[in-house]
Amino acid sequence: MERVCVLGLGYIGLPTASLLATKGFSVLGVDVDPDVVGTINRGDIHIVEPDLDILVKAAVQSGSLKASTEPAAADIFIIAVPTPFKPGHIPNLEYVDAATHALAPHLRPGNLVILESTSPVGTTERIRELVAQARPDLFTQGKPSDRDSQIFFAHCPERVLPGHILRELVGNDRIVGGVDPGSTDRARDFYRSFVSGEILSTDARTAEMCKLAENSFRDLNIAFANELSVVCDRLSINIWDLIRLANRHPRVNILQPGPGVGGHCIAVDPWFIVHSAPRETRLIRTAREVNDAKPMWVVEKVVESASGLPDPVIGCLGLSFKADIDDLRESPALWITRELLSRRVGRIMACEPNLTRSFKEFPLYDLDSVIKEADILLLLVDHKVFRKIDPVRLREKVVIDTRGIWSSTSSPLQ
Ligand code: SAJ
């Protein structure tokens, strides 16, 4: 039974660890947070993702998945830690470095180290460099440039969509890129053992860039939709109708505008490309700026609507970064809600049905109370439960629908 050590038990690491544990691997999941480790060892989970609870419970009960705050010897190490950026949009690799330092003492000849975290180009080589410094005994002449290192290093970017992680972990095609051909082959064989999608081989730098390019592609296309929405607002054109009509062209597929782009991936990764090649990335940078400007545009819309009302009550529907998840990372909905609060635009009633925890600056309300009491309903996330609201209940309200669930002319509200 091959042993896998997964470092980082978040949105990628935990699903990956529990999937591997049910596919015949013996898995040690590692996280620096003892509460996360305790939760998983009880067979519970600390994040919201469909069916993950069932998988983790099964994996832990079978004894194939254990969690710990410390790594241990294994055949394969997977690094799945966050790669945020620092002020000035500079990549912050401190978690990758910490995970590498933590696993280095446990490495043995023949081990495979895989970086799954989305990372700037060159990060897999950096991991090899760090390991070579910590464990020169594993390199023939103690140098990372040696072709005959006894450790294999590869990048295999995760590409799963939050909300569909378990299906996509198995079904998506995967890119594997090693620091040398031997590493690529080792990583390819590993992913082949549990992925039904195709495994596409390349080198580490191309694999790193490929992931960044995928998310930038999406960012650019969302930026186009967001820019169009602002243009249409100025020209009094219904953006949702416009997109529906334009998308009937066989080669046009405009994405959906929204309150901005959130999540840890699309709002972050394009900056890794910009940082690596600042002079060559005018388009990628501008797309980021367009998307980052959208939340403030929404705030101004609310301010404008509220200015005509005495003591306005504003219902903020949704706080997560997209529909039907609890993830608040880089969420434009949360940013907008906080901005409205700090500008004292009115009484804010926030509703996020996927969260049980409250916030120190504001309480959460149930949907019914928000619909009853709010003068302005600001739809920020297209959660399923919001789509089910009876439009009759919205007739007396000012509705600002940033996701287009009620606003096309085919909607019962119009
Ligand atoms: N969004 C829009 N309009 C759209 C689509 C999305 O405003 O038409 C917004 C969402 O509301 C959200 C943000 O963009 O705030 C990102 O959502 P998303 O569903 O596009 O993507 P993520 O961040 O959940 O996951 C992405 C995926 N990448 C691509 O689709 C290219 C996923 O496959 C990656 O694995 C993930 O990033 C990642 O981890 O990098």
Side-chain angles (χ1 to χ4, degrees), residues 86-130:
K86 300 183 220 175
H89 302 123
I90 298 163
N92 176 358
L93 295 178
E94 71 182 88
Y95 302 110
V96 172
D97 291 355
T100 308
H101 285 128
L103 68 83
H106 304 281
L107 285 172
R108 293 189 189 151
N111 280 177
L112 168 64
V113 178
I114 298 169
L115 173 67
E116 282 214 8
S117 313
T118 306
S119 303
V121 172
T123 307
T124 314
E125 289 162 345
R126 174 193 174 103
I127 290 174
R128 182 177 60 169
E129 178 83 39
L130 290 176

Side-chain angles (χ1 to χ4, degrees), residues 118 158-162 168 211 214-215 218 222 255-258 260-262 265-266 269 321-322 332 403:
T118 306
E158 60 80 12
R159 300 163 109 188
V160 290
L161 197 68
E168 293 205 355
K211 169 62 194 247
E214 290 161 15
N215 279 354
R218 195 147 167 90
I222 298 170
L255 295 183
Q256 297 299 301
V261 167
C265 314
I266 294 187
D269 302 350
F321 86 83
K322 66 175 190 175
R403 299 279 184 176

Side-chain angles (χ1 to χ4, degrees), residues 184-260:
T184 307
D185 291 349
R186 264 302 303 275
R188 185 201 52 217
D189 293 347
F190 169 60
Y191 284 96
R192 265 198 191 143
S193 68
F194 68 96
V195 169
S196 66
E198 211 174 314
I199 312 297
L200 306 153
S201 299
T202 181
D203 56 70
R205 293 173 71 85
T206 308
E208 286 158 350
M209 187 62 189
C210 191
K211 169 62 194 247
L212 302 179
E214 290 161 15
N215 279 354
S216 293
F217 172 86
R218 195 147 167 90
D219 196 44
L220 251 77
N221 282 284
I222 298 170
F224 179 69
N226 276 333
E227 187 158 294
L228 267 187
S229 74
V230 175
V231 171
C232 283
D233 183 73
R234 158 117 341 154
L235 303 179
S236 303
I237 291 169
N238 183 311
I239 179 65
W240 315 102
D241 286 350
L242 177 98
I243 292 175
R244 185 170 47 80
L245 296 170
N247 282 352
R248 295 297 287 267
H249 184 287
R251 284 173 297 284
V252 172
N253 183 17
I254 302 172
L255 295 183
Q256 297 299 301

Side-chain angles (χ1 to χ4, degrees), residues 6 9 12-22 27-29 59 64-65 169:
V6 179
L9 295 175
I12 301 303
L14 182 57
T16 304
S18 48
L19 176 71
L20 289 169
T22 57
V27 182
L28 178 69
S64 308
L65 173 63
L169 263 185

